[in-house]
Amino acid sequence: MSTTALNDLSRFPIVQAPMAGGASCPELVGAVCEAGALGFLAGGYKTAGGLYQEIKQVRRLTARPFGVNLFMPQDGRPADPAAVEVYRHQLAGEATWYETPLGEADDSRDDAYDAKLAILREDPVRVVSFTFGCPEPEVLASFARIGTFTIVTVTSAEEALAAERAGADAVCVQGVEAGGHQGSYRNDPAHDDTPGTGLLALVTQVRERVALPIVATGGIMRGAQIAAVLAAGADAAQLGTAFLGCPESGAHPLHKGALTDPLFTRTALTRAFSGRPARGLVNRFVREHGPYAPAAYPEVHHLTAPIRKAAATAGDAQGMALWAGQGHRLARALPAGELVDVLAAELDTALSEIAHRSAS
């Protein structure tokens, strides 16, 4: 697949990020696609049947191409049960406060991956992307045979090379600015104190190492930023937080409001809610539990799920996972189609200004 194939998927080089947990609902995906961008359903945390029902809903809303994102199964041994149990004890006060039992540290680590692959092979969508690792070459080849374009999320040039060698059609290059989970191949706590790489530097590094089309993601909120990543070597830009506040988004109203609430002044990478590094607004839960959360995914995700749900029900944003990128204060609560139009206009203006400066 070529860069042209990637850009043929939508009118604008704009991708709506797959945001697991409900934000990337069929209504958002359909509206984004109808406006000329590429919408994505998030397959993570859903059953295979639930994902299939959402695919059918999107098809009722749009005939345009859209994508589905899958979480890769977690390799290696399960997390240290003792570390998970220590964290369970630490969270006992949260369970008491919200009057809910803690979840069970589910030992399922594959997120129904094989069943979801089977659905997407039997009834293909135009694009499938992968997060938390790179599929086996046979998996990518099976999608190539049915005409499905594949994208692998990467956080380093080395991961991008691995995706290229495995047969991916493109890579989604994720800078450290990105909201939600870092899509790295490994969940290694030894790297927690190592600053991640910013998006523009990372796109340049990947562009010089691989020939695949690049979708750039991380902190992008304006059309001028899309122009910047295109100038750095990307072929499209993926935005998550920018679409989070749209009325079609399935995010909780408290989550949407928190993006521009002056109470939340910064984001941080934390393992507090899931056991994997993820960027969110710093609230009480992150401050109190982030430093002690083990590298235990998806065990911690299952453990904290009832607390997050109870906090949302109680209207308490301080106990919720408020995933957001570093540009969250630039969020605009526009309908998704209108937001795509605005971003496309801003991109056009920025590219015209660049061309004008280059000619003068």
Side-chain angles (χ1 to χ4, degrees):
M1 288 288 186
S2 66
T3 299
T4 301
L6 171 63
N7 291 337
D8 284 348
L9 293 167
S10 59
R11 178 183 174 192
F12 304 120
I14 299 171
V15 180
Q16 165 250 310
M19 296 172 281
S24 298
C25 59
E27 291 78 10
L28 178 63
V29 176
V32 166
C33 292
E34 283 296 290
L38 180 64
F40 256 94
L41 280 176
Y45 308 136
K46 295 184 177 80
T47 64
L51 175 60
Y52 184 56
Q53 291 304 314
E54 290 200 354
I55 290 172
K56 291 200 295 185
Q57 290 178 50
V58 174
R59 285 178 171 149
R60 287 194 290 267
L61 295 169
T62 182
R64 298 177 185 274
F66 66 94
V68 171
N69 175 258
L70 299 182
F71 285 170
M72 291 294 297
Q74 299 303 287
D75 295 329
R77 293 177 298 175
D80 179 5
V84 175
E85 192 60 24
V86 167
Y87 197 52
R88 174 184 289 277
H89 284 297
Q90 182 178 338
L91 296 176
E94 300 285 349
T96 300
W97 177 258
Y98 291 113
E99 299 181 338
T100 184
L102 294 169
E104 293 301 318
D106 195 330
D107 61 359
S108 172
R109 299 169 64 80
D110 67 357
D111 199 48
Y113 178 71
D114 288 335
K116 292 171 184 176
L117 286 180
I119 287 172
L120 293 169
R121 287 168 176 150
E122 183 175 337
D123 191 4
V125 298
R126 289 291 298 279
V127 192
V128 174
S129 68
F130 300 87
T131 300
F132 300 152
C134 183
E136 294 295 323
E138 310 88 77
V139 171
L140 295 169
S142 71
F143 280 115
R145 285 193 293 271
I146 58 176
T148 297
F149 191 88
T150 53
I151 304 174
V152 175
T153 304
V154 302
T155 59
S156 69
E158 290 70 29
E159 290 179 349
L161 279 168
E164 184 176 51
R165 290 166 181 158
D169 292 317
V171 288
C172 180
V173 176
Q174 184 191 45
V176 72
E177 306 95 332
H181 284 94
Q182 289 285 294
S184 51
Y185 289 8
R186 300 182 183 278
N187 184 19
D188 187 354
H191 296 157
D192 282 3
D193 294 330
T194 304
T197 304
L199 180 59
L200 287 176
L202 187 56
V203 166
T204 305
Q205 292 171 16
V206 172
R207 180 74 291 152
E208 293 191 358
R209 300 284 296 279
V210 305
L212 295 178
I214 291 174
V215 179
T217 190
I220 301 172
M221 303 292 289
R222 295 288 189 265
Q225 292 172 291
I226 299 174
V229 296
L230 296 181
D235 303 285
Q238 179 173 283
L239 293 74
T241 306
F243 286 102
L244 202 58
C246 294
E248 297 92 341
S249 159
H252 193 282
L254 286 175
H255 193 170
K256 294 182 181 183
L259 297 174
T260 54
D261 188 336
L263 180 66
F264 299 100
T265 59
R266 64 187 182 92
T267 65
L269 288 171
T270 181
R271 295 181 182 272
F273 293 105
S274 72
R276 250 189 178 271
R279 184 173 297 282
L281 301 175
V282 176
N283 59 6
R284 178 193 58 77
F285 196 99
V286 171
R287 288 192 296 270
E288 293 183 2
H289 302 295
Y292 311 105
Y297 177 86
E299 290 86 352
V300 171
H301 166 78
H302 295 299
L303 195 64
T304 66
I307 294 174
R308 291 180 272 123
K309 183 177 180 180
T313 300
D316 183 8
Q318 296 296 333
M320 296 169 59
L322 303 173
W323 303 137
Q326 288 183 342
H328 65 95
R329 298 300 290 274
L330 297 171
R332 299 176 281 203
L334 298 173
E338 185 177 338
L339 179 58
V340 171
D341 289 342
V342 169
L343 289 166
E346 291 173 344
L347 170 60
D348 187 58
T349 298
L351 292 176
S352 296
E353 290 176 350
I354 292 171
H356 178 73
R357 286 196 294 268
S358 298
S360 61

